Amino acid sequence: MGRDEREVVARGARLYAAARGVCGDHGRAVEAVQEALRPLQDEAVARELDATPVARLQEATGGRVQWESVERSGLRTVGRVLEAGPYRLRQVPGVGRRTADQILAAARRLSEAAHETVAVRIDVDRPEPRTSALVIALNLLVEAGPDGRRAVDMAEGLALRLGPLLAEAGPAAGRFRMLLAGREKRSRALAAVDGIRSLVEDAERAGALGLLAQASVDLLREPATDIAAWVDFELRSAEYYSLLAEIPGRAPDVGAAQGFLPDKLAERVRRQRLDDSRLRVSLRGYQEFGARFALAQRKVLLGDEMGLGKTIQAIAALTHLAAKGQSHFVVVCPPSVLVNWVREIEARSTLRSTLLHGPDRHDAFADWRSRGGVAVTTFDALRGFPAPEGGEIGMLVVDEAHAVKNPKTLRSQAVARWVERCERALFMTGTPMENRVGEFRDLIRMLHPGVADSLTEGDALTGSVAFRQAVAPVYLRRNQKDVLAELPALQHTDEWEEPSVSDEEAYREAVAAGNFMAMRRAAYLRPEKSAKLERLREIVREAGENGQKTVVFSYFKDVLGVVGEALAGSVPVHGPLTGEVPPVRRQQVVDDFAAVPGPAVLLAQIQVGGTGLNMQAASVVVICEPQVKPTIEQQAVARAHRMGQVRRVRVHRLLATGGVDERLVRMLAAKTRLFDSYARRSAVAEATPDAVDVSDVGIVQRIVEEEQARLGLVGEEPPAVGQEESP
């Protein structure tokens, strides 16, 4: 036993002290958050219990209590029962000591459950001392960033392993202690020294001391001012809420976060390791699971509802593979989100991105092949590149994958060739099935032919639970309401307007001509007396008075033009975003809209603005007319109501009574139920065979003919159904 062993123990002790210090600093920061959170959580629980009828407690007494007597005594809610206490309860006729104790015990159980599940929402528009204290406490952890989280994880692991080893190696810390120790203790001490040496050398190679020292500096800095913390919260609210969800004592819905996968499959995914060393952001629990799912299952469809961060889950999977030695990756997406993908890759990871688009795309392709990184390209451009050899591509990511659900199209065939040649493929879409279960099956077939071939229309119609179980190995979907408790409320309002005389005349002319597209926009054809346009002005004016920004969606460019002229001069108007606007310019328009310090309006074609662009600067959404496909509206709304949104989102859908709008709304409701049955988690499918296979062209023709009959215009022009695809 000599100087070398003593030096190893000393180095281990220094590392152990640094690790314990970081754990303590982090623990105190978490305690500060918990202390700030407690009064807000208690208040939220109290509100929930005050809204819970006292009859919910009936099960606890076996139905022996006459709840009418309890309610007549003024104890109408669970909250009032808890406030009343045992003495007040025993004054109620028919309630004795034992029953009162049972009632209070049941009320306390409900209170405990509420404390575990209630969501604390931070209102950025109404800051007050208690919420400011919470935001300031969270700011310390947010500023520490992903490196801070990695340092804490490392510190906890080192402290857990070094502590016992240092205790066992105690005799080796001094020459005389070692001489006085017995043979068995000396043997254990030397073995512990070897263990300490291995841990210390590994930690030094990983730069542990520097990482731990920086983490302590970050965790011990002075708290931010309330103004600075609030500004940072509005910019990075998703990171604040992500930390809040992980505070000890708050139990997440594990089943929802894991997409309600079968237990064996979920366990397999959980065992998949995820190396996040090349990520620049922290993942939420459900996002980490999504990345693990993509890695464990190799070829999958991530169908998370919009706003849940599918992009960052894909990037996390790519960075893991890059850390394991893979060098080349490909992202295929619509032109509208090319720039967004490049931005996200560069901002959220250390990966290099290369844009394969435009006249120089083949030169860029050659550069990417030689240097590696993530190639970002479009569906159409992909067709011009040679399919890879086996093993060349670490992962192929296909965003908005529903664009390739038709196997007969050239873009679908090109994607299928690449998927076949790639070991891993990740399809992403919030709308994997719109009208036909068969189309969903075709999408799955590209990834896993065996799963697709095992599905039949009959299997789908037996119920969505069976359907989800069958596709579980290749399909993962989570919904906002299940995993993002912090999202502000989403308020939908159908704004039914009585058409003006001028509106009616324009609509009648469109019906007589059999022009379905003109029928849909008739309410804006004569803007000087448009009922819808007047209501839209009111909504925008009200939003402006509250300092809120508004996004206005329409399928039609000419409707957006009318809206822009009507709002000009009253509020800054940006756009319109249409199919003719280049992808790079689209993102710039959205950025300019977000940068306006006060009220502003962004105009966008719903099929353009509803794909890939993040519009969470807006808290008011106006949809000028109902759409033929419900998923188009859902995508558009999700661009504002998504992770990172800090205000309540109000959605106003402008509808005219008595005509095409009413008929479309009824059909949209039926199609939405179909989507919910199969693409969301649901107990019973609500579809019939003809509902699954309904044709949009058939809808158009039927609506036009029924409207002609209603208005006594039978025998006029035949329906112009083919115009549906041209805005």
Side-chain angles (χ1 to χ4, degrees):
M1 176 66 191
R3 182 180 300 174
D4 179 63
E5 285 78 8
R6 292 195 296 275
E7 176 60 27
V8 168
V9 173
R11 288 161 62 196
R14 288 194 295 272
L15 184 59
Y16 179 65
R20 288 289 302 274
V22 168
C23 291
D25 296 338
H26 180 258
R28 284 184 287 275
V30 170
E31 287 174 5
V33 172
Q34 289 174 318
E35 184 177 348
L37 175 64
R38 194 169 296 115
L40 295 170
Q41 195 174 34
D42 289 344
E43 183 181 40
V45 169
R47 284 196 302 269
E48 183 165 320
L49 296 178
D50 282 339
T52 304
V54 71
R56 282 280 305 276
L57 303 175
Q58 186 168 7
E59 296 177 3
T61 62
R64 292 190 299 273
V65 176
Q66 296 295 323
W67 291 103
E68 293 81 358
S69 299
V70 178
E71 292 176 340
R72 280 197 298 271
S73 71
L75 306 180
R76 295 184 176 86
T77 68
V78 175
R80 296 295 298 274
V81 166
L82 286 170
E83 290 176 7
Y87 177 78
R88 173 74 176 82
L89 273 172
R90 289 198 298 270
Q91 309 308 307
V92 177
V95 177
R97 180 187 297 274
R98 182 179 178 184
T99 301
D101 290 344
Q102 289 176 326
I103 291 174
L104 284 172
R108 293 189 190 103
R109 286 196 296 272
L110 277 180
S111 177
E112 291 168 1
H115 270 92
E116 292 180 358
T117 58
V118 73
V120 172
R121 292 188 174 91
I122 301 173
D123 192 343
V124 72
D125 291 322
R126 294 179 178 83
E128 46 100 4
R130 291 183 306 172
T131 53
S132 292
L134 178 59
V135 171
I136 290 170
L138 286 167
N139 175 263
L140 190 68
L141 294 169
V142 170
E143 284 293 329
D147 283 344
R149 169 182 274 190
R150 281 191 278 270
V152 171
D153 290 343
M154 177 184 289
E156 290 174 346
L158 287 171
L160 186 65
R161 299 174 67 185
L162 278 172
L165 288 173
L166 287 168
E168 196 75 38
R175 181 181 305 171
F176 293 106
R177 291 179 62 187
M178 194 67 170
L179 290 173
L180 294 173
R183 179 182 299 176
E184 185 178 346
K185 282 190 174 181
R186 285 198 299 268
S187 177
R188 290 202 303 267
L190 290 174
V193 169
D194 289 340
I196 293 170
R197 179 184 288 109
S198 177
L199 277 176
V200 169
E201 290 176 352
D202 288 346
E204 288 176 348
R205 281 193 294 270
L209 282 173
L211 189 63
L212 296 177
Q214 184 60 54
S216 282
V217 169
D218 292 337
L219 291 168
L220 292 174
R221 65 182 175 79
E222 287 293 317
T225 65
D226 56 349
I227 294 176
W230 276 110
V231 168
D232 192 59
F233 170 77
E234 188 157 1
L235 291 173
R236 299 191 286 176
S237 65
E239 294 180 43
Y240 281 75
Y241 276 122
S242 178
L243 282 169
L244 191 59
E246 296 170 3
I247 295 300
R250 296 172 58 80
D253 186 340
V254 176
Q258 297 177 358
F260 304 100
L261 294 179
D263 291 342
K264 288 184 178 179
L265 178 56
E267 177 59 29
R268 168 185 165 85
V269 173
R270 287 193 297 269
R271 289 199 303 267
Q272 167 69 49
R273 297 190 56 138
L274 180 65
D275 187 331
D276 65 353
S277 59
R278 301 193 64 175
L279 271 180
R280 290 189 171 128
V281 295
S282 299
L283 297 176
R284 305 191 68 156
Y286 74 87
Q287 292 173 333
E288 186 173 306
F289 186 85
R292 291 174 188 266
F293 179 79
L295 294 167
Q297 298 302 99
R298 295 183 175 268
K299 292 186 178 182
V300 300
L301 169 60
L302 180 60
D304 283 350
E305 192 171 11
M306 286 193 172
L308 293 183
K310 291 189 289 294
T311 300
I312 188 58
Q313 294 176 68
I315 293 173
L318 298 182
T319 56
H320 169 89
L321 294 171
K324 299 305 178 185
Q326 294 283 352
S327 59
H328 289 71
F329 311 96
V330 176
V331 173
V332 188
C333 60
S336 59
V337 293
L338 280 170
V339 175
N340 186 63
W341 264 102
V342 171
R343 283 185 177 188
E344 293 290 291
I345 291 167
E346 294 176 350
R348 299 176 183 270
S349 76
T350 62
L351 300 180
R352 176 178 178 270
S353 63
T354 302
L355 186 61
L356 309 184
H357 187 61
D360 298 328
R361 60 185 179 274
H362 292 287
D363 291 337
F365 180 81
D367 179 69
W368 165 74
R369 291 195 72 169
S370 65
R371 299 177 60 188
V374 185
V376 184
T377 190
T378 65
F379 294 106
D380 291 334
L382 185 71
R383 292 164 48 198
F385 301 131
E389 301 295 331
E392 181 182 348
I393 306 299
M395 177 175 280
L396 172 69
V397 178
V398 181
D399 194 10
E400 306 290 351
H402 51 271
V404 295
K405 64 189 178 185
N406 183 355
K408 296 180 180 179
T409 63
L410 294 176
R411 64 168 53 174
S412 297
Q413 293 165 10
V415 168
R417 282 194 298 272
W418 278 69
V419 170
E420 188 178 358
R421 302 283 185 89
C422 294
E423 186 178 352
R424 288 181 172 88
L426 171 58
F427 282 15
M428 305 194 314
T429 174
T431 57
M433 188 209 72
E434 292 178 328
N435 295 328
R436 300 171 180 85
V437 175
E439 291 175 348
F440 179 57
R441 188 175 60 237
D442 289 337
L443 201 58
I444 295 295
R445 180 170 285 112
M446 285 195 211
L447 300 166
H448 201 307
V451 171
D453 291 341
S454 71
L455 298 175
T456 67
E457 294 292 341
D459 290 331
L461 295 173
T462 61
S464 59
V465 173
F467 183 77
R468 290 288 296 267
Q469 290 285 321
V471 299
V474 70
Y475 174 57
L476 176 67
R477 180 179 176 85
R478 281 78 58 87
N479 296 317
Q480 284 187 350
K481 64 182 178 61
D482 293 327
V483 295
L484 283 189
E486 79 275 6
L487 269 182
L490 179 64
Q491 178 184 341
H492 280 273
T493 303
D494 279 349
E495 303 276 357
W496 287 100
E497 305 296 329
E498 286 289 338
S500 66
V501 174
S502 180
D503 292 337
E504 291 278 18
E505 291 174 354
Y507 182 74
R508 188 179 182 88
E509 291 174 5
V511 174
N515 190 328
F516 179 70
M517 305 302 270
M519 290 164 58
R520 291 182 62 197
R521 61 184 187 270
Y524 301 92
L525 293 178
R526 301 178 182 180
E528 63 280 1
K529 295 183 179 179
S530 167
K532 280 191 180 183
L533 195 57
E534 181 57 31
R535 178 56 185 147
L536 189 150
R537 288 194 193 96
E538 293 172 0
I539 294 169
V540 171
R541 183 164 55 248
E542 179 184 346
E545 290 170 353
N546 288 292
Q548 297 171 317
K549 290 181 169 64
T550 304
V551 175
V552 178
F553 288 115
S554 175
Y555 184 83
F556 305 100
K557 288 178 288 187
D558 55 355
V559 169
L560 294 175
V562 168
V563 172
E565 291 179 7
L567 298 177
S570 62
V571 64
V573 178
H574 297 258
L577 293 177
T578 67
E580 288 80 22
V581 178
V584 176
R585 177 59 185 157
R586 293 180 198 174
Q587 187 62 56
Q588 187 60 53
V589 171
V590 174
D591 291 347
D592 292 344
F593 166 71
V596 175
V601 172
L602 175 65
L603 306 177
Q605 273 190 290
I606 198 164
Q607 64 273 38
V608 174
T611 301
L613 299 173
N614 301 333
M615 303 175 178
Q616 58 262 43
S619 50
V620 177
V621 177
V622 179
I623 300 175
C624 290
E625 70 284 322
Q627 307 304 308
V628 171
K629 295 182 180 180
T631 49
I632 293 178
E633 290 188 14
Q634 292 165 358
Q635 288 174 351
V637 171
R639 289 300 158 204
H641 188 253
R642 61 190 293 116
M643 188 169 57
Q645 175 60 261
V646 295
R647 294 183 173 86
R648 177 184 294 270
V649 177
R650 292 185 295 126
V651 181
H652 302 266
R653 185 166 59 165
L654 302 180
L655 305 166
T657 60
V660 64
D661 287 2
E662 283 194 1
R663 297 180 182 277
L664 275 176
V665 166
R666 287 198 297 271
M667 293 178 180
L668 278 171
K671 294 176 99 178
T672 299
R673 286 196 298 272
L674 170 64
F675 178 79
D676 286 344
S677 292
Y678 290 101
R680 301 179 192 270
R681 183 172 182 258
S682 170
V684 179
E686 300 175 353
T688 60
D690 57 337
V692 172
D693 198 30
V694 71
S695 167
D696 287 342
V697 174
I699 289 176
V700 171
Q701 183 167 347
R702 192 170 74 207
I703 289 175
V704 173
E705 290 174 349
E706 289 176 356
E707 282 298 282
Q708 287 178 338
R710 183 179 69 86
L711 296 177
L713 300 172
V714 178
E716 303 290 339
E717 291 293 323
V721 296
Q723 298 180 53
E724 173 58 21
E725 296 300 322
S726 174

